[in-house]
Each structure stands twice: as C-alpha cells, then as structure tokens.
C-alpha cells in the first residue's frame, strides 16, 4: 500500500467517526426537539385554560362591581333620606338642652323666692310678735295708770 492509500483509509476512518458522532448528536437534538414540542403544547394548553379562567373571573368581578355600585347608590339614597331625621334629632336634643337649662334657672328662681318668702314670713312673725308686745304693753300701761 502506498502512502496515498493509507491516507485515503485514514480519511475514510475519520469520516466514519465524524458521521457516527453527527448521528449521535442529531439523535440527541431530535429527542430535545420532541421534548420542547411537548412542553410547548402543554404550555399552550395551560395558557388556554388560564385565559378562559381569567375571562370568567373578569366577568364575575365586573358583575360584583356593578352590584357594589348599585348597593352604594342605594345606601347613598337611604342616607339622604335619613339626613333630615338626624337634623331633627339634633334640633330636638338642642331644645331638650335649652329646656333643661330653663328648668334649672326657674328652679333656682323659685328656690330664691322660697327663701325670700321664708325670710318674709319670719320677718312678719317677728313684726306681729312685736306688735302684740307693744299692744299688750299699752294695755297693761292703761290698766296700771
């Protein structure tokens, strides 16, 4: 065998090793691509399910917001209806407070009048006793004289 033949055999062997290596790499790439395709399919399925769930949740949230707005409007209307009642209660409590103050003032004045009447009564009794004393004295002096 000549040098050219040996070089051809070495080149052929190198080519065979290269082909075997490429076949193994391509086999691994093929398996990886299949796994990626499976993962992408599962991801797409999951995304579809999530999209449907999110759409349903959005509809339910929108319904809840509409109900919440309706309830808030209802409560605002009822509060507007009750506002005059609170105003009337505030006015009534002010009137009761004024009445209590007036009653206390009247009681104080009546108590003062009662004290003055008691003083006048005592003064009247003292005056009457003094008058009797002077009358009795005049009567006694006329009888003695």
């Amino acid at each position: 065998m000549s040098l050219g033949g040996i070089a051809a055999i070495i080149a052929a062997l190198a080519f065979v090793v290269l082909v075997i290596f490429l076949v193994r790499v391509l086999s691994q790439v093929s398996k990886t691509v299949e796994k990626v395709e499976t993962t992408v399919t599962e991801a797409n399925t999951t995304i579809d399910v999530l999209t449907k769930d999110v759409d349903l949740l959005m509809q339910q949230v929108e319904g809840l917001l509409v109900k919440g707005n309706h309830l808030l409007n209802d409560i605002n209307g009822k509060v507007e209806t009750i506002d005059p009642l609170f105003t009337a209660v505030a006015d009534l409590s002010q009137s009761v407070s004024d009445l209590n103050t007036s009653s206390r003032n009247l009681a104080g004045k009546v108590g003062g009048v009662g004290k003055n009447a008691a003083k006048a009564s005592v003064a009247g009794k003292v005056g009457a006793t003094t008058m009797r004393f002077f009358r009795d004295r005049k009567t006694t002096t006329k009888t003695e004289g």
Side-chain angles (χ1 to χ4, degrees):
M1 257 204 180
S2 71
L3 275 176
I6 294 178
I9 291 176
I10 292 176
L13 285 174
F15 185 75
V16 168
V17 169
L18 179 64
V19 169
I20 292 172
F21 178 74
L22 284 176
V23 167
R24 292 182 83 194
V25 168
L26 288 176
S27 173
Q28 290 294 328
V29 168
S30 174
K31 289 178 184 177
T32 304
V33 168
E34 285 177 13
K35 288 181 181 178
V36 167
E37 284 179 2
T38 304
T39 304
V40 167
T41 303
E42 289 175 4
N44 285 336
T45 304
T46 304
I47 289 173
D48 288 342
V49 169
L50 286 175
T51 302
K52 289 176 185 175
D53 289 346
V54 168
D55 287 343
L56 179 64
L57 283 174
M58 289 298 291
Q59 289 173 357
Q60 291 175 350
V61 166
E62 186 177 335
L64 287 173
L65 286 174
V66 167
K67 287 179 183 178
N69 286 337
H70 179 70
L71 286 173
L72 187 60
N73 289 336
D74 186 41
I75 288 171
N76 285 337
K78 289 179 180 175
V79 166
E80 287 176 8
T81 303
I82 294 174
D83 274 345
L85 174 67
F86 287 122
T87 303
V89 168
D91 291 345
L92 179 63
S93 73
Q94 183 62 42
S95 298
V96 168
S97 178
D98 292 345
L99 180 62
N100 284 339
T101 302
S102 297
S103 296
R104 285 187 190 118
N105 291 339
L106 181 62
K109 288 179 182 177
V110 168
V113 168
K115 288 178 186 177
N116 289 337
K119 288 178 185 176
S121 175
V122 169
K125 288 180 183 177
V126 169
T129 304
T130 305
M131 290 295 284
R132 267 185 269 136
F133 174 73
F134 282 118
R135 209 176 330 137
D136 288 343
R137 194 165 174 221
K138 268 187 178 179
T139 314
T140 315
T141 329
K142 284 185 183 179
T143 358
E144 286 180 7

